[in-house]
């Protein structure tokens, strides 16, 4: 395993008598994408705020890029970039001027700042819009500019708090490609919060589900899906007698005489699939079609969240 880019243990945060984070643990290897899921008000933005030094925690400890969060916040800030829920661009400046402003804030030299700005304009397909005021940009272009402003400092760790909210499907997929390229080409570590479950499924190496201030599950998308009941293998047969024979050898299977199919409970794993095929072979029954059905992240989200929820005030928004 690569070393941890982000390591947090026992993080706690309350606002008055409302507990937002109740002792959460997170370990994120370098060069991976980690997605944090949860209902509105679950604590996702607060988690980002704490780990990016924008919000103080009430307890626990964390190390970001090797820097202690409490003891060396300046070191943490130098290693990270943050893109909040809403694009933090200056509408009075052009696209290029926004990037040069960020280069100045990072104390880059004039030549280096312009070079890096030009590189990001090209990489994020913003070159044609470089001279346009930011206020004229579409939602997707504004989010790309916001990300470019984060990247101007060349961070090794990037916090993306719901980066595709409000984007159309095409712009969302473009943002996914950019995020993948950051990890694959530059080895950046991404901490992503999102309410688009497909986004987490497509991008994340590991996913955590936050509910009621606690992490209720962590794992890969496939591991989380296997935790939820409802997975099954669907077998189709050409003859009723074959369906009847298969039904006799699987105790919990559900036959459908009209479609000549048999639904066999399964966790979706390869060993289970092999076991089903072995049982069919031993019974000398031939299926003409086999499909594996597993719960999706929507099922995971609905099954794991909600039971501990109570009315909550909105979380504080993070800013760059």
């Amino acid at each position: 395993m690569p070393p941890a880019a982000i390591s947090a243990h026992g993080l706690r945060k309350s606002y008055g008598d409302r507990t937002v984070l109740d002792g959460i643990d997170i370990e994120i290897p370098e060069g991976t994408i980690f997605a944090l899921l949860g209902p509105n008000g679950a604590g996702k933005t607060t988690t980002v705020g704490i780990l990016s030094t924008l919000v103080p925690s009430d307890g626990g400890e964390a190390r970001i890029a090797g820097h202690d969060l409490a003891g060396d916040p300046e070191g943490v800030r130098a290693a990270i970039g943050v893109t909040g829920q809403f694009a933090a661009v200056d509408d009075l400046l052009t696209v290029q001027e926004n990037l040069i402003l960020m280069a100045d804030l990072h104390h880059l030299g004039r030549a280096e700042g312009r070079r890096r700005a030009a590189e990001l304009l090209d990489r994020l397909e913003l070159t044609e819009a470089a001279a346009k005021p930011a206020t004229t940009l579409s939602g997707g272009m504004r989010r790309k500019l916001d990300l470019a402003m984060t990247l101007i400092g060349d961070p090794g760790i990037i916090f993306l708090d719901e980066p595709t909210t409000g984007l159309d499907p095409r712009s969302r997929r473009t943002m996914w490609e950019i995020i993948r390229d950051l990890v694959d080409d530059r080895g950046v570590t991404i901490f992503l919060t999102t309410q688009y479950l497909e986004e987490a499924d497509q991008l994340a190496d590991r996913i955590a589900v936050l509910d009621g201030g606690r992490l209720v599950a962590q794992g890969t998308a496939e591991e989380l899906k296997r935790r939820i009941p409802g997975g099954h293998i669907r077998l189709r047969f050409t003859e009723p007698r074959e369906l009847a024979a298969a039904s006799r050898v699987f105790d919990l299977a559900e036959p459908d005489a009209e479609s000549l199919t048999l639904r066999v409970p399964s966790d979706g794993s390869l060993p289970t699939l092999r076991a089903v095929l072995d049982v069919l072979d031993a019974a000398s029954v031939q299926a003409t079609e086999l499909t594996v059905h597993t719960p999706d992240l929507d099922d995971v989200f609905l099954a794991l969240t909600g039971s501990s929820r109570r009315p909550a005030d909105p979380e504080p928004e993070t800013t760059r």
Side-chain angles (χ1 to χ4, degrees), residues 236-291:
R236 184 182 297 277
F237 302 91
T238 56
E239 299 289 340
R241 58 183 177 79
E242 293 173 335
L243 172 62
S247 299
R248 287 193 292 270
V249 296
F250 293 107
D251 293 337
L252 301 178
E254 300 176 10
D256 185 329
E258 183 175 348
S259 63
L260 293 179
T261 59
L262 186 68
R263 177 171 165 161
V264 181
S266 165
D267 61 4
S269 66
L270 189 57
T272 300
L273 177 59
R274 285 176 176 156
V276 168
L277 295 176
D278 288 343
V279 169
L280 289 175
D281 285 342
S284 300
V285 178
Q286 182 75 37
T288 58
E289 181 182 308
L290 181 151
T291 54

Side-chain angles (χ1 to χ4, degrees), residues 52 76-83 106 150-151 154-160 320:
S52 60
V76 172
R77 293 182 192 120
I80 68 172
V82 182
T83 297
H106 281 283
T150 297
L151 295 175
D154 198 25
I157 299 171
I158 299 176
F159 292 90
L160 300 177
R320 189 182 306 283

Side-chain angles (χ1 to χ4, degrees), residues 196-270:
Y196 295 110
L197 302 184
E198 182 190 9
E199 186 163 275
D201 205 354
Q202 289 283 333
L203 294 177
D205 298 293
R206 286 187 66 80
I207 297 169
V209 182
L210 184 63
D211 187 47
R214 295 178 178 272
L215 290 179
V216 295
Q218 291 194 62
T220 66
E222 292 307 313
E223 287 170 346
L224 293 181
K225 292 172 187 176
R226 286 200 293 267
R227 293 181 53 167
I228 306 303
H232 63 277
I233 295 171
R234 189 168 183 262
L235 303 169
R236 184 182 297 277
F237 302 91
T238 56
E239 299 289 340
R241 58 183 177 79
E242 293 173 335
L243 172 62
S247 299
R248 287 193 292 270
V249 296
F250 293 107
D251 293 337
L252 301 178
E254 300 176 10
D256 185 329
E258 183 175 348
S259 63
L260 293 179
T261 59
L262 186 68
R263 177 171 165 161
V264 181
S266 165
D267 61 4
S269 66
L270 189 57

